[in-house]
Amino acid sequence: MAWKFIDRARGYAGPSIWVCYPHTTKWDAVLILTTGWLSGSRLLTLVKEQECVGVQGALLRAAGCLPVDPRGGCQTVDWVLSRWSRSRHRSLALSPEGRIEAVPYWRTGFYVLSLVTGVPVTYSWMDYERRLAVREAPVWMTCDPARDLAIAQSLMREARALYPPKVGPIQFREGWAIDEVRLERQRQRWRSTRGGLFDQAGSAIDRAAKL
């Protein structure tokens, strides 16, 4: 049976952060990139730096992949912001799990990136049982992690991985909290460098205030 690609974000023309789930095989990336191509989105994707070597690395970079150190933490967010602000690619795709194995919690990079830039999150998920790849309508983060993750859990409740034992829960590390001081510093830096590239995304702060 052939795969079916469903785009529920057709009414949104601005940039977004594609949060791709679940991630248990490298084929997941192929499906998401295909979904992006079919929806007309040019995706800038994050890959582990150890995969960007030799001929494979050259091909990945040419396809719009950014090699990142998975241990980079907050510095990785700053680096991605710098590269994204001057890239012609309008949307960014990443896996919140960070690896193709079960992890106890999601990484928070996508959440911070959304809050800094005002760019919404587009949850993109796969169902290997029904051969579905779906991109949901954009969701703006609100600075309320519990509320935002509840939405993610609801939208992706039908996701089915190729290897179910490798799937971890949709949650952040217990005790994680937003660093408001660092967040505001990153916002100011982003506003000074982004130009007009992301104007369609609006402001996450203003949108959150209306909720």
Side-chain angles (χ1 to χ4, degrees):
M1 182 176 65
W3 277 80
K4 182 178 181 180
F5 299 92
I6 300 176
D7 184 8
R8 294 173 176 161
R10 292 185 181 277
Y12 178 74
S16 62
I17 299 172
W18 289 47
V19 172
C20 310
Y21 174 87
H23 185 38
T24 64
T25 171
K26 292 183 179 181
W27 284 109
D28 300 332
V30 175
L31 290 171
I32 291 301
L33 289 173
T34 301
T35 304
W37 178 74
L38 290 173
S39 67
S41 297
R42 296 185 62 192
L43 296 178
L44 186 67
T45 58
L46 304 184
V47 297
K48 294 179 181 178
E49 60 182 3
Q50 57 263 39
E51 296 184 9
C52 285
V53 295
V55 175
Q56 173 178 289
L59 292 174
L60 288 173
R61 292 172 191 271
C65 294
L66 287 179
V68 298
D69 183 349
R71 303 165 299 175
C74 295
Q75 289 70 30
T76 297
V77 171
D78 290 335
W79 185 83
V80 171
L81 285 169
S82 175
R83 291 295 300 272
W84 195 14
S85 68
R86 62 178 186 264
S87 172
R88 290 177 297 175
H89 295 266
R90 295 183 60 83
S91 292
L92 178 70
L94 53 81
S95 165
E97 296 159 287
R99 60 187 67 181
I100 49 177
E101 61 186 64
V103 294
Y105 50 80
W106 277 12
R107 297 187 178 187
T108 58
F110 81 90
Y111 195 80
V112 174
L113 286 169
S114 181
L115 291 175
V116 169
T117 63
V119 172
V121 167
T122 301
Y123 293 111
S124 306
W125 53 273
M126 286 77 66
D127 179 349
Y128 277 86
E129 292 181 6
R130 294 182 292 165
R131 289 183 173 270
L132 287 177
V134 181
R135 180 173 77 138
E136 298 288 349
V139 179
W140 277 264
M141 301 297 98
T142 68
C143 288
D144 184 343
R147 176 180 178 176
D148 295 332
L149 283 180
I151 293 175
Q153 293 163 356
S154 174
L155 290 175
M156 298 191 290
R157 64 184 181 279
E158 297 183 38
R160 299 292 182 273
L162 181 60
Y163 302 111
K166 293 184 177 181
V167 178
I170 299 176
Q171 62 184 20
F172 290 150
R173 174 172 50 83
E174 184 177 358
W176 179 79
I178 300 169
D179 185 335
E180 296 287 354
V181 174
R182 184 180 183 86
L183 184 64
E184 184 55 33
R185 188 185 311 123
Q186 290 171 320
R187 281 173 174 156
Q188 292 175 1
R189 187 181 305 125
W190 174 260
R191 290 164 184 156
S192 68
T193 61
R194 69 177 183 175
L197 185 60
F198 295 91
D199 287 344
Q200 293 184 59
S203 168
I205 305 173
D206 294 340
R207 290 178 183 274
K210 298 176 182 178
L211 298 175

